Amino acid sequence: MFDSRLVARFVFGEDDTTLGVVLNEDPAEVALACQVRDAAWHHATRTTDFAKAVASTG
């Protein structure tokens, strides 16, 4: 998402190669992406807290 106005979606092939990027400025799609971002941010863990919980970074 860019500036809460533009959504970029990566398109992948069956072998996980990147086929391209689709840009979308549709207000409904952008609003949905903002809602998803906000929900993820709400449940996010600070990097320092995550690093303390992972033995290999500790």
Side-chain angles (χ1 to χ4, degrees):
M1 214 170 39
F2 301 95
D3 299 334
S4 298
R5 295 181 309 199
L6 177 66
V7 174
R9 294 186 191 270
F10 283 84
V11 180
F12 296 96
E14 289 185 21
D15 61 350
D16 292 332
T17 58
T18 303
L19 300 177
V21 177
V22 176
L23 300 178
N24 192 333
E25 294 179 294
D26 176 55
E29 291 288 326
V30 173
L32 177 60
C34 288
Q35 289 175 338
V36 171
R37 176 208 52 208
D38 293 347
W41 192 253
H42 175 74
H43 294 285
T45 301
R46 292 183 181 275
T47 303
T48 54
D49 295 339
F50 176 79
K52 291 175 189 173
V54 178
S56 64
T57 62

